[in-house]
Amino acid sequence: MAWRVCLQRWTLGDLLTCTSQGKTKRFNFYTQQRCGFRKAPRKAEVKKGEMEEAGPKQTVPSEEVAQRKGYSLQAETPALHIPRRSFVKLLKPLVFTVGFTGCSFGAAAIWQYESLKSRVQSYFDEVRTDWLEKLRPQKQGDIRKQVNQWWNSLSEGQRTVTGIIGLNVLVFCCWRIPSLQRAMITYFTSNPASKALCFPMILSTFSHYSLFHMAANMYVLWSFSSSIVSLLGPEQFMAVYLSAGVISTFVSYLAKTATGRLGPSLGASGAIMTVLAAVCTKMPEAKLAIIFLPMFTFTAGSALKAIVAMDTAGLFLGWKFFDHAAHLGGALFGIWYVSYGHELIWKNREPLVKFWHDLRTKGPGGGGGGTGSF
């Protein structure tokens, strides 16, 4: 089975560029400097005795006289604002990353429990709905029915990522509203030099400024959605995807702080790299192809090795066009999760599910979490 997916490196970059009317626009973040020069003092009248101390060729009073008069002869040099590379500032994002990841998997476990509990009731509701549809006269051109048919034709993975794609489109439209630009830059771009550090770690995962950037990322996510959801299930996939966005952003924070190349990043590339790495690690012999060159095929394992090698080289060589640290962090998290994380996290969720079951039923009882895995 071959997936035709765009794996070109320039489609997964975290960019802040867009093309409009044949010109390239870039966000440039500059800090306006405050002028450090004082207002020139009025020309002081020098008494005859002071002029004698200064000498006949001196046209300004001496430094001692100036200090005695209360003014300075030297102008202040402007102080440049240089962001400090402080790893202490990353303590709060680290706590947020651990807490958000734990909450994501906990919520996914409870979500799966509720889904399994209501499956029987949903089945009877669907049967009753189908029976009423047969008795009800059919409407010609019913848009709602056509939408339902299209929705039912999608795979479980495609239905799962539809909400993610819709949210990315909504954020993309918000970038087009001028009055929201300041808020978008503050909360929907991740930058270790910014005052807002935690919430942008997840919000930037759904943020794209360039239409091509968003389309490429969403196409890759749509292409791999069926495979990743069949491996993990919809609940576990959502936990992994959201956690991957935060973890990849934190790795980006670390790399930017260590190298001193502070700047904003945005895009779903880090989380999508987790999806790619998870599928390629679990199915290394699967055949992939580049969308623009379908005649050339290669194995998923070879593609993963090439991607990791390119991002590693870009990180150490200082390539600035992409956020290679976020890509590499997402890929490594995907490899780790399908190899070890699933056993350590997801298969040990039973105590939480049992606690939730007891809390709902107000009494002792067995866990109703069900099994869902690869």
Side-chain angles (χ1 to χ4, degrees):
M1 178 179 180
W3 293 290
R4 295 186 176 182
V5 57
C6 181
L7 294 178
Q8 295 178 342
R9 301 301 308 117
W10 49 273
T11 62
L12 291 178
D14 286 334
L15 309 177
L16 274 176
T17 61
C18 70
T19 303
S20 175
Q21 298 179 356
K23 299 181 180 179
T24 302
K25 297 181 180 178
R26 293 180 182 270
F27 281 109
N28 295 319
F29 298 91
Y30 298 101
T31 303
Q32 294 182 355
Q33 301 298 332
R34 185 178 180 182
C35 181
F37 290 96
R38 296 181 181 177
K39 186 178 179 181
R42 294 181 179 179
K43 188 174 181 180
E45 296 182 358
V46 184
K47 297 182 179 180
K48 182 177 180 180
E50 296 173 353
M51 287 297 295
E52 291 176 355
E53 295 177 3
K57 293 184 179 180
Q58 187 174 356
T59 58
V60 293
S62 63
E63 184 176 357
E64 295 180 358
V65 175
Q67 292 179 356
R68 204 163 53 240
K69 293 295 184 179
Y71 52 81
S72 175
L73 296 177
Q74 296 180 352
E76 294 180 354
T77 57
L80 297 177
H81 175 70
I82 301 177
R84 292 185 301 172
R85 292 184 292 169
S86 176
F87 287 96
V88 178
K89 191 178 181 181
L90 299 182
L91 180 60
K92 189 175 180 180
L94 175 61
V95 175
F96 178 81
T97 301
V98 176
F100 184 86
T101 301
C103 292
S104 297
F105 281 96
I110 295 174
W111 177 19
Q112 186 186 65
Y113 166 82
E114 295 293 340
S115 298
L116 293 174
K117 187 176 181 180
S118 61
R119 184 168 296 176
V120 176
Q121 183 64 36
S122 299
Y123 172 77
F124 286 112
D125 291 342
E126 291 177 0
V127 172
R128 184 178 61 181
T129 302
D130 293 340
W131 180 72
L132 292 176
E133 285 291 335
K134 293 179 180 179
L135 297 179
R136 184 184 305 168
Q138 299 295 323
K139 297 181 180 180
Q140 297 294 333
D142 190 355
I143 298 178
R144 183 178 179 181
K145 182 178 180 180
Q146 294 177 1
V147 172
N148 290 335
Q149 291 177 352
W150 169 80
W151 180 259
N152 293 330
S153 66
L154 299 178
S155 65
E156 186 178 23
Q158 291 172 338
R159 289 196 295 267
T160 303
V161 302
T162 299
I164 298 176
I165 296 175
L167 185 57
N168 278 268
V169 173
L170 177 62
V171 176
F172 173 79
C173 295
C174 291
W175 274 106
R176 270 57 221 164
I177 302 177
S179 60
L180 297 179
Q181 292 296 306
R182 184 180 297 273
M184 298 299 293
I185 293 174
T186 302
Y187 296 104
F188 286 86
T189 63
S190 59
N191 187 356
S194 175
K195 293 182 179 180
L197 292 176
C198 295
F199 287 110
M201 297 178 72
I202 182 62
L203 296 179
S204 62
T205 307
F206 300 91
S207 178
H208 296 83
Y209 188 82
S210 169
L211 177 61
F212 181 79
H213 184 202
M214 181 188 68
N217 279 342
M218 295 303 101
Y219 178 81
V220 174
L221 179 62
W222 181 268
S223 300
F224 280 86
S225 60
S226 299
S227 300
I228 190 64
V229 172
S230 65
L231 291 175
L232 304 178
E235 300 88 2
Q236 188 180 184
F237 160 73
M238 288 300 301
V240 171
Y241 185 86
L242 295 176
S243 300
V246 176
I247 292 174
S248 61
T249 303
F250 181 74
V251 175
S252 175
Y253 278 1
L254 286 175
K256 290 177 180 178
T257 303
T259 59
R261 291 190 287 266
L262 306 178
S265 300
L266 78 171
S269 303
I272 292 176
M273 285 297 298
T274 299
V275 174
L276 285 172
V279 175
C280 292
T281 302
K282 202 65 180 178
M283 306 166 59
E285 299 301 325
K287 295 295 182 179
L288 302 179
I290 300 176
I291 183 174
F292 300 111
L293 301 172
M295 69 290 300
F296 297 103
T297 60
F298 41 87
T299 63
S302 300
L304 179 60
K305 293 177 182 178
I307 292 174
V308 172
M310 291 183 64
D311 282 321
T312 303
L315 178 62
F316 284 99
L317 295 179
W319 297 346
K320 300 180 181 180
F321 197 62
F322 305 109
D323 193 343
H324 296 281
H327 293 177
L328 190 60
L332 294 179
F333 175 67
I335 296 172
W336 174 83
Y337 187 81
V338 296
S339 301
Y340 308 102
H342 174 76
E343 297 289 337
L344 295 174
I345 299 177
W346 192 249
K347 287 192 174 181
N348 292 322
R349 70 191 186 282
E350 190 65 25
L352 175 62
V353 175
K354 186 178 183 302
F355 171 78
W356 179 257
H357 173 77
D358 295 342
L359 186 65
R360 281 182 57 96
T361 56
K362 303 291 186 179
T371 60
S373 59
F374 290 22

